Amino acid sequence: MGLSFMESPSYLFTSESVTEGHPDKLCDQISDAVLDAILTKDPMGRVACETMATTGLVVVMGEITTDCYVDIPQTVRETIRNIGYTNSSYGIDADTCGVIVSVKEQSRDIKEAVEHSLETREGHISDAEVESLGAGDQGMMVGYACVETPELMPLPISLAHALTKRLSLVRKEGTLPYLRPDGKSQVTVEYSHGKPKRIHTVVVSAQHSPDVTLKQLQQEIRKNVIDPVLPKNLVDSKTRYLVNPSGKFENGGPNADTGLTGRKILVDTYGGSARHGGGAFSGKDPTKVDRSAAYAARYVAKNIVAAGLAERAEIQVSYAIGMAHPISVSVETFETGKVKDDVIIALVNKHFDLRPAAIIRDMNLRRPIYKNTASYGHFGREELNLPWERTDKAAILRAEAGLK
């Protein structure tokens, strides 16, 4: 049997991020912009919004139940404009692209299951405030946290997001005016005994105009994007830098690849460092546990790590459609726990209410906070002041676990 991750003296791990102009991320942002627009007017609205984008065309589909009116085509165009697709030569232009909307109301069967939980129908309610709302679907959701960064995120995905954010910043500020909205990053970190040792390889691919040479782009991306982001203590003479390794990247965005909502779920979460339940986030209102329970699981995991109960924590929670109570809650600490996992599980069950209505209530999720999460990750975003990033339960977890 091979060495575990924590035992191995050398282990490479890679995560990627994409810019807001990536075709799939453009679709995520449109779906969440529609969600935010509806929640602004109707906090009880039910939204499952999917978006597809290709050359000159955006299609918005899904199931939406609301008593308000939202101008979806205008919301689409504003989102595309803010990303930077404002010229038809880019393959999609906010002002001239076609927008097709095909939405219907939420299935009556799903609506009834959500609004009248199994506990309600069977007469087993102990807390009517939260148990009358059932989970919007079955499934399992995963939350994760670790001590590799101040925001308690894995280092590879944290650095990959920092690179793509920087890539968009130098484009929008005009530092590198030849850049266009699409782009990607990838960071490989070498670990030793579970701790980051050095940055092994950095990949940045940036869409650009035809009037820049590959050599110029490589030099200026290295100077203005990569070097300002990478921690100097993790870079050495063997660190590899690959900028636009394919050569030209003039044709990008939906013109080069059809975009779809929900295809960058590892970019949205932990970059592959943790397992994934499978459900995407964007375009879904918080009755969908794919989204709200994944946020709650991150909240639990982050508080466990912030409390010092473990250096790594992965939480899985599962649901059945129409039921308020989770089917299961489990924890994995990867041999880094300071107390036994069963102690941690007992503390989780005591201090975290993972019924969907309780999650929505405790995090105040029926408000328009989602579009900004649709690019550069949903977790570790301290600049957004998101409720699932709080560590307000760390002190009580630590005290009740008996740690000093």
Side-chain angles (χ1 to χ4, degrees):
M1 183 178 293
L3 295 175
S4 71
F5 177 72
M6 299 302 294
E7 296 171 324
S8 176
S10 180
Y11 179 92
L12 298 179
F13 193 86
T14 303
S15 294
E16 76 157 346
S17 177
V18 298
T19 66
E20 62 214 65
H22 184 280
D24 295 328
K25 276 287 134 208
L26 178 146
C27 292
D28 286 344
Q29 290 166 90
I30 290 172
S31 292
D32 271 343
V34 171
L35 171 64
D36 277 359
I38 290 171
L39 291 180
T40 298
K41 297 180 177 181
D42 177 15
M44 302 302 290
R46 298 282 172 79
V47 181
C49 180
E50 311 290 347
T51 303
M52 183 275 289
T54 187
T55 304
L57 178 65
V58 174
V59 181
V60 178
M61 305 157 285
E63 296 76 47
I64 298 176
T65 301
T66 181
D67 60 8
C68 73
Y69 171 76
V70 167
D71 189 339
I72 291 178
Q74 184 61 27
T75 301
V76 169
R77 296 186 191 283
E78 288 175 0
T79 304
I80 295 172
R81 185 177 299 107
N82 290 338
I83 290 169
Y85 286 113
T86 56
N87 190 312
S88 59
S89 67
Y90 296 176
I92 192 164
D93 175 12
D95 293 319
T96 62
C97 68
V99 178
I100 297 174
V101 178
S102 179
V103 298
K104 56 185 181 292
E105 289 193 344
Q106 184 180 52
S107 160
R108 183 178 298 276
D109 294 341
I110 296 174
K111 180 176 184 291
E112 289 297 319
V114 172
E115 293 180 353
H116 304 285
S117 69
L118 181 64
E119 289 88 342
T120 303
R121 285 174 273 135
E122 292 187 344
H124 300 315
I125 282 193
S126 59
D127 184 350
E129 180 185 0
V130 294
E131 288 185 6
S132 60
L133 184 73
D137 202 350
Q138 71 174 40
M140 55 280 184
M141 298 81 214
V142 175
Y144 183 78
C146 63
V147 296
E148 294 177 18
T149 62
E151 65 274 21
L152 305 184
M153 285 288 286
L155 182 63
I157 189 65
S158 180
L159 291 177
H161 284 323
L163 288 168
T164 50
K165 282 192 277 189
R166 181 79 184 172
L167 194 61
S168 288
L169 179 66
V170 298
R171 169 177 64 89
K172 291 179 174 180
E173 289 186 341
T175 304
L176 302 181
Y178 50 78
L179 291 182
R180 288 181 175 174
D182 199 356
K184 295 183 176 183
S185 72
Q186 187 171 284
V187 177
T188 301
V189 173
E190 181 180 351
Y191 286 79
S192 179
H193 301 285
K195 298 185 183 301
K197 179 180 178 182
R198 58 182 292 271
I199 295 171
H200 179 276
T201 303
V202 176
V203 182
V204 173
S205 293
Q207 186 189 13
H208 58 87
S209 68
D211 56 356
V212 61
T213 66
L214 180 60
K215 182 178 179 180
Q216 179 189 354
L217 182 140
Q218 289 173 334
Q219 290 175 342
E220 295 187 347
I221 292 289
R222 173 71 187 273
K223 175 184 175 183
N224 294 283
V225 177
I226 297 175
D227 288 346
V229 164
L230 300 186
K232 301 298 186 289
N233 63 313
L234 293 178
V235 173
D236 59 27
S237 60
K238 294 183 180 179
T239 299
R240 297 181 68 202
Y241 303 93
L242 301 172
V243 178
N244 282 33
S246 66
K248 290 196 304 182
F249 184 6
E250 296 176 12
N251 186 22
N255 193 43
D257 293 293
T258 298
L260 291 171
T261 298
R263 284 206 299 197
K264 286 296 179 184
I265 57 177
L266 294 186
V267 173
D268 286 339
T269 54
Y270 308 101
S273 292
R275 285 165 281 202
H276 197 291
F281 301 155
S282 290
K284 296 177 182 178
D285 76 79
T287 65
K288 279 74 172 174
V289 285
D290 276 344
R291 179 167 226 157
S292 54
Y295 292 165
R298 162 65 176 174
Y299 176 53
V300 174
K302 189 172 184 181
N303 276 272
I304 289 170
V305 173
L309 306 188
E311 293 184 1
R312 297 176 183 274
E314 183 183 83
I315 302 296
Q316 186 201 69
V317 58
S318 68
Y319 296 86
I321 187 169
M323 284 189 66
H325 288 268
I327 298 297
S328 67
V329 181
S330 63
V331 62
E332 169 66 70
T333 57
F334 308 95
E335 302 176 5
T336 70
K338 309 305 179 186
V339 296
K340 292 182 179 180
D341 285 358
D342 58 355
V343 173
I344 297 176
I345 277 291
L347 290 170
V348 170
N349 289 330
K350 178 179 179 181
H351 292 288
F352 296 91
D353 192 338
L354 296 175
R355 293 171 292 181
I359 295 170
I360 292 169
R361 176 198 65 199
D362 295 344
M363 293 190 184
N364 190 18
L365 295 182
R366 294 189 188 275
R367 54 194 173 106
I369 59 173
Y370 300 107
K371 184 185 174 185
N372 285 337
T373 68
S375 51
Y376 312 119
H378 293 244
F379 306 121
R381 302 291 300 280
E382 294 184 337
E383 77 278 11
L384 298 181
N385 194 30
L386 298 167
W388 51 89
E389 294 298 315
R390 299 190 306 245
T391 55
D392 53 339
K393 296 197 176 184
I396 193 169
L397 293 179
R398 185 174 183 84
E400 294 194 9
L403 298 179
K404 296 182 180 179

